Structure formats: C-alpha cells, structure tokens
Amino acid sequence: MSDRIAFDECLQLVLKLDAMKPAEGQPRRLDALFRDLARFKPHQPAYELQDLIWAIWTNHEDDYADEAMEQAINAIALKDYDVAQLVLDALVDARPEWSEAWNKRATLNFIRGDDAYAVRDVMEALKREPRHFGALSGFAQICLRHGRETEALIAFEAALAVNPHLEGVAALVAEMHANGGRVLH
C-alpha cells in the first residue's frame, strides 16, 4: 500500500459492518458479552463487560501468540515502538486470523503517525471482528487527525452501535452533532 490513506475503503467497510459476522475462530463467548453490552442496562456493569471483551481479544489459545501480544503491549507502554513493531509484524504473519493482532498494530501505527498503515490494519481487524469498537474508535481518531469529521462521526456512531457505553465517544458524538458535525476543541 502506498502512503495514500484508504479513508473511503475503510468507511465503506464500516458502513457494511451490520451485515458482517465475526470470522471463524472468534471466541463464541464474545456473542453473549456483546448482546449484554448492547443493552441499555446490561446484566453486568458495562465496564466489566468491556474488560472481559478486551481480555478475550488480547489473549490467544496459542501460548506463543499470547506471550507475543503481552510483549507488544508492554513495549508500547514503554514507548519501545521498534520492538513493538517487530513483535506485531511477526504476530500478524503468524496469526493473521487474530483481529487483535491487527488492531494492536493499527494502534502502534497511529501512535507513530503512520496513518496509512493504521487504516489498513483497522480494516483487517474489522474484517475479522466487525464488533471491534476499539478499531472503530481508532479509525475515527485517524479521521479527526486528517480533518475528515464526517467519516469520524460515522465511525464513532458505529462504535456506539456496538458499545453504547463508551462515555467519552458518546460525549464527543453529542458535541459533534451540536456543532454541525465538527469538533471545536
């Protein structure tokens, strides 16, 4: 992929997410968690559901992959981005079906300012896990960074459709609606 950022391609994917199913191999227990999370008043507190979803997303049954993800997360936290890049590149190559490997690499690319690759990785994450509210929010943040507020609003709203308990996202969407689709701060 060139330096061209695939905003339109990613937006088209976001607009189709309602019709998509998670890829084969996604843990089945996510289905019940997402059903509960979508409720106005979930049976479990929303923050617990989100934590459980993130725990499932970031863990893998393969010990190597699980350890590599932990190493990548730690490297990002320590701002050792070169190590994180090497680990995540290897993880995506070894486990291309794992949506969170793509999402973590998208996050790393966003932090590094490589938005073209971040958007590409967001798309790969969403193809595997169309309910990935983190990837959707990440795409929206990239859109905002490039002044593409309409696309950002659509992506934020898609994240809220999956997880209506993202309070910061909900506040930002309300602000954008109140300001004609723009972020003023």
Side-chain angles (χ1 to χ4, degrees):
M1 177 182 211
S2 70
D3 285 346
R4 183 181 76 75
I5 300 175
F7 288 111
D8 295 337
E9 293 169 52
C10 195
L11 181 63
Q12 290 307 310
L13 179 63
V14 168
L15 292 171
K16 295 180 202 171
L17 292 178
D18 284 348
M20 293 174 60
K21 300 264 187 247
E24 288 292 318
Q26 293 293 327
R28 294 258 184 246
R29 58 191 171 185
L30 285 170
D31 296 340
L33 294 172
F34 275 110
R35 274 193 303 277
D36 197 16
L37 189 63
R39 297 169 49 92
F40 178 70
K41 288 190 172 189
H43 298 298
Q44 281 184 264
Y47 72 89
E48 287 181 12
L49 292 167
Q50 291 173 59
D51 287 349
L52 287 168
I53 290 167
W54 279 109
I56 292 168
W57 278 343
T58 57
N59 289 282
H60 200 281
E61 62 192 21
D62 173 28
D63 289 340
Y64 161 78
D66 196 49
E67 289 173 22
M69 178 62 75
E70 186 175 335
Q71 183 182 10
I73 290 169
N74 289 336
I76 291 170
L78 295 171
K79 296 182 174 35
D80 194 348
Y81 301 139
D82 291 339
V83 168
Q85 189 77 55
L86 290 171
V87 172
L88 289 169
D89 287 348
L91 195 51
V92 164
D93 288 343
R95 294 291 179 195
E97 78 286 351
W98 193 8
S99 62
E100 191 55 27
W102 293 99
N103 183 61
K104 279 293 180 269
R105 194 169 75 173
T107 301
L108 175 63
N109 285 326
F110 175 78
I111 291 168
R112 295 182 105 175
D114 194 345
D115 292 343
Y117 283 104
V119 169
R120 183 198 67 191
D121 287 346
V122 162
M123 289 173 35
E124 294 299 328
L126 291 173
K127 287 175 187 174
R128 291 156 178 79
E129 177 51 273
R131 304 168 295 192
H132 205 303
F133 52 85
L136 286 163
S137 296
F139 175 59
Q141 290 295 334
I142 295 166
C143 290
L144 285 179
R145 182 148 72 187
H146 290 268
R148 299 181 73 116
E149 292 173 330
T150 300
E151 292 93 332
L153 184 59
I154 291 167
F156 279 139
E157 288 177 337
L160 287 171
V162 174
N163 181 358
H165 307 283
L166 297 169
E167 294 173 8
V169 172
L172 189 54
V173 165
E175 177 187 336
M176 291 175 80
H177 280 294
N179 296 310
R182 295 186 3 244
V183 178
L184 297 181
H185 63 274

